[in-house]
Amino acid sequence: MPNQSLRSSFASTGGAPLRVLVVDDSATARAMLCAILARQHDMVCVGEAADALQAREMIRGLDPDVVTLDMVMPGMDGLDFLERLMRLRPTPVVVIAAPTRQHQTTVLRAAALGAVAFIDKPLPGTPGAIEAFEQRVVVRLREAARTRQGRRTGWMTEAPVSLASTSGRLIAIGASTGGTEATPRLLARLSPAAPPVLIVQHMPAGFSARYAARLNGLGPLAVSEARDGEPLQSGHAYVAPGGQHLAVDRAAGGGFIARVTDGELVQRHRPSVDVLFRSVAKVAGERAIGVMLTGMGGDGALAMRLLREAGAYNLAQDEATSAIFGMPREAIRAGACQEVLPLDAIGPRVMALLGLRSETSPADR
């Protein structure tokens, strides 16, 4: 039942609690989620629905800020309901479901349909599982609340502000297996007015300079191998030297400079996407756009989550267009990505976020 006393206390102080509708066929799960909401000073459970039909009527009548949604329900399942909800009445949704054998497929489809996040239900008897689950739920619901004023195709979440200005912005790209072919297709869709682009492609020493030279002749950006201390310029892309880490730092007089260093392997790689993304999160934060392309392993996934938490807007390449879906998958699992898109849609989306016109790919001419 709705927490009327909490809602009344917010009304008396002039505040507005986050209004959440809980949709789950399990009475136990509904009770657990409503109890979590009752413990938060800024949230209220406005209703509980045991199936899609009840949920539909409650959404019409209550107009909740966020919906929590189970996947396995009688009648219409969660994915079908999510698809109809996003088509007919877009509402921020946090999926909360038990893992199944089709778990990863379900996660990806929910993301593609517009779910803000996918949270696994806690396993009974696991020490600390309930507390960790509550923390994840609260964080994801607050994130979802910020999507209320905007809806994106694909992975739905809050949009960065002041998108029309590229001043002080950075684009950071991570790639591995398949990235040498994916990255030029992305760069071909960018505008010469794009902010500096930094690229970490897993590559041994001796190959990156030739790779940068090849990219330089394929698209609208000037592309070069990054040099330590080099000022970063709009309309330019910088490739991490093979066998060295690439990071970014603030320049003394404003703007950004490249940092190229040796050092230990990070996530078993040098250059490492993790190193780049962490540095971009630190110096650019909400002024950054992160992109995770095809690749094996999980390099950069957790750092991309830090990038998102710093306010950046992140995109990942989808499975259908990835040579290897490892790195995008891990980034998605980490909750790092606001959108999951086909490769050829990423460049135009980046330009749209920046308020710029996308270039026409040579393949389209």
Side-chain angles (χ1 to χ4, degrees), residues 183-200:
T183 299
R185 287 174 58 180
L186 189 162
L187 295 182
R189 302 279 185 157
L190 303 185
S191 162
V197 179
L198 297 108
I199 303 166
V200 166

Side-chain angles (χ1 to χ4, degrees), residues 108 111-112 153-155 172-174 186 277 289-295 301 304 313-322 324-347 349-350 353:
L108 293 172
T153 300
W155 197 264
I173 299 172
L186 189 162
F277 282 1
I289 295 175
V291 179
M292 188 71 82
L293 296 180
T294 174
M304 197 178 202
Y313 199 92
N314 296 334
L315 305 101
Q317 185 177 350
D318 69 2
E319 184 171 15
T321 62
S322 295
I324 301 291
F325 193 52
M327 287 167 57
R329 177 191 291 119
E330 292 306 311
I332 295 165
R333 283 177 172 171
C337 307
Q338 283 98 328
E339 296 190 61
V340 182
L341 298 172
L343 174 60
D344 289 334
I346 294 176
R349 185 69 179 115
V350 170
L353 289 168

Side-chain angles (χ1 to χ4, degrees), residues 130-177:
I130 299 297
E131 292 79 5
F133 172 74
E134 177 167 341
Q135 184 177 18
R136 286 194 295 272
V137 168
V138 170
V139 168
R140 296 296 183 263
L141 287 175
R142 289 184 180 131
E143 289 181 346
R146 293 196 290 272
T147 75
R148 181 68 173 172
Q149 296 179 353
R151 172 72 172 89
R152 302 251 185 260
T153 300
W155 197 264
M156 179 182 62
T157 188
E158 72 275 10
V161 295
S162 303
L163 294 180
S165 172
T166 61
S167 175
R169 289 194 169 276
L170 290 174
I171 300 170
I173 299 172
S176 186
T177 309

Side-chain angles (χ1 to χ4, degrees), residues 9 47 61 75 79 82 95 218 264 274 327 339 348 350 357:
S9 68
L79 286 174
L82 179 61
V95 175
L218 295 179
E264 300 298 321
D274 190 277
M327 287 167 57
E339 296 190 61
V350 170
R357 183 186 298 274

Side-chain angles (χ1 to χ4, degrees), residues 6-17:
L6 180 59
R7 183 157 52 170
S8 297
S9 68
F10 269 88
S12 65
T13 60

Side-chain angles (χ1 to χ4, degrees), residues 276-295:
L276 174 62
F277 282 1
R278 285 179 184 274
S279 70
V280 173
K282 182 178 180 180
V283 303
E286 65 182 12
R287 304 290 291 169
I289 295 175
V291 179
M292 188 71 82
L293 296 180
T294 174

